Amino acid sequence: MTILENKKNPYFFAPFGPTMGYYKMPSEMVDYLNNNMDKKLDDYSDNLVGKVSQELRFDNEIRNYVGKKLIKFIIDYHEYTKNRNSLGQNSLAKDKTPKLDVLNGWFVRQFENEYNPVHIHTQCTLSCVGYLKLPDGIEEEWEKDYKDHYPANGHINFIYGTHGQYTCSNFLIKPKVGDFYIFPSYLFHAVYPFYTKGERRSFSMNMIFSMD
């Protein structure tokens, strides 16, 4: 198990095969998303696997806002990946225009004892998670949980490949408000339950990035 701490912004990393990316969202973006969750948004839960209270679908305005805020970071993510995968030989074509298509997005409202089972995202190439709110008092729960040999409460777990002597296949992330992670849509992940009363609020999106 690995827990990512003390990250740069932005930060690209490969704890196993697929490249992941980290970005610290500006406070105005966090505030915008939290404030817009009060709109009358459709409940998207029937289309998703989460065992959570609500999963509210982004409208076009929210999707466009988030896409514009994240496009530069996602271009950098692709540049890093192309360079990494070619061992430094290739980079993105500078004469082509990047395009980010946010197919759908949704707020995830998770409360105590709820969870998200292991899953992937389909019909897209990229997915992500961004953290908007945590329950008051969850730090006390984490302090106790971190004394255990395998802390996991309220964390997101990414899984890829088979564990071995020289392989990391299990990657655990502790959520913090403002943290945003991007990853390939085929990467398995799950969210563990927590037991502090209150809301753990995040958002996810399905996206396709291309260079025209």
Side-chain angles (χ1 to χ4, degrees), residues 17-145:
T19 303
M20 297 181 65
Y22 165 82
Y23 173 68
K24 186 69 174 182
M25 294 182 288
S27 58
E28 60 267 22
M29 183 176 174
V30 174
D31 291 342
Y32 171 88
L33 288 168
N34 278 323
N35 292 337
N36 276 270
M37 204 195 71
D38 294 333
K39 298 166 77 174
K40 292 183 178 179
L41 301 174
D42 295 333
D43 194 329
Y44 200 43
S45 300
D46 289 344
N47 299 283
L48 303 168
V49 302
K51 309 297 184 180
V52 299
S53 291
Q54 277 188 318
E55 293 174 294
L56 302 175
R57 189 170 189 168
F58 285 5
D59 61 15
N60 288 337
E61 178 185 333
I62 299 174
R63 286 190 1 237
N64 291 337
Y65 173 89
V66 176
K68 289 177 181 177
K69 285 290 186 182
L70 296 175
I71 182 64
K72 183 183 183 306
F73 166 70
I74 293 174
I75 292 171
D76 290 345
Y77 167 84
H78 273 264
E79 175 69 30
Y80 174 90
T81 303
K82 191 171 185 68
N83 193 259
R84 171 205 172 209
N85 290 353
S86 65
L87 298 178
Q89 298 300 308
N90 297 320
S91 60
L92 295 181
K94 304 302 181 185
D95 60 339
K96 294 188 176 181
T97 303
K99 178 184 177 184
L100 180 65
D101 188 3
V102 180
L103 304 176
N104 45 55
W106 57 95
F107 295 103
V108 180
R109 304 191 67 201
Q110 179 184 353
F111 292 83
E112 63 272 17
N113 302 309
E114 298 178 343
Y115 64 97
N116 219 320
V118 174
H119 65 286
I120 61 171
H121 292 228
T122 59
Q123 300 179 336
C124 59
T125 56
L126 289 173
S127 194
C128 63
V129 60
Y131 296 102
L132 303 173
K133 183 178 181 180
L134 293 170
D136 293 337
I138 197 167
E139 290 291 348
E140 287 80 2
E141 177 179 341
W142 281 336
E143 184 178 354
K144 181 179 179 181
D145 191 33

Side-chain angles (χ1 to χ4, degrees), residues 158-205:
F158 293 94
I159 306 121
Y160 184 83
T162 302
H163 189 75
Q165 184 176 359
Y166 303 107
T167 304
C168 175
S169 60
N170 185 29
F171 188 70
L172 197 65
I173 289 176
K174 177 182 178 181
K176 293 182 180 179
V177 172
D179 283 0
F180 174 86
Y181 296 91
I182 191 170
F183 50 90
S185 60
Y186 56 78
L187 184 56
F188 280 100
H189 55 288
V191 177
Y192 294 106
F194 58 91
Y195 307 102
T196 303
K197 290 195 175 298
E199 181 180 357
R200 178 193 187 275
R201 181 182 301 168
S202 61
F203 72 92
S204 290
M205 299 186 299

